[in-house]
Amino acid sequence: MRILYQLLVVLFMMFHSAAGQHFSPTSTHLCVAQQGRCFPSICRRPYYWIGTCNNGFSCCKRYVEV
């Protein structure tokens, strides 16, 4: 009976935490949302580094000259 009680508590905690989770987009989508591109190496000219993509690539954005 004690094991059943512990399993119910764990199940309740899993449902409780899953209900509060929000959708978070992947790093690649965040990179694209910032008008960036994912490169397998470091960012070279005319790009500069703005973050990391979910596959470990560098998220780079093109310089904009005004």
Side-chain angles (χ1 to χ4, degrees):
M1 191 67 176
R2 185 175 179 175
I3 293 174
L4 180 64
Y5 173 73
Q6 289 179 346
L7 288 174
L8 287 173
V9 168
V10 170
L11 185 64
F12 174 75
M13 290 175 61
M14 286 175 34
F15 282 129
H16 190 270
S17 64
Q21 299 212 356
H22 299 286
F23 172 75
S24 62
T26 61
S27 298
T28 304
H29 293 152
L30 291 175
C31 184
V32 172
Q34 299 177 45
Q35 287 90 30
R37 294 180 53 195
C38 295
F39 289 101
S41 61
I42 61 173
C43 302
R44 305 222 186 255
R45 286 188 180 169
Y47 295 94
Y48 63 97
W49 187 83
I50 58 172
T52 306
C53 298
N54 60 348
N55 53 4
F57 288 4
S58 297
C59 181
C60 306
K61 185 174 182 178
R62 184 182 280 271
Y63 283 114
V64 177
E65 294 186 25
V66 178

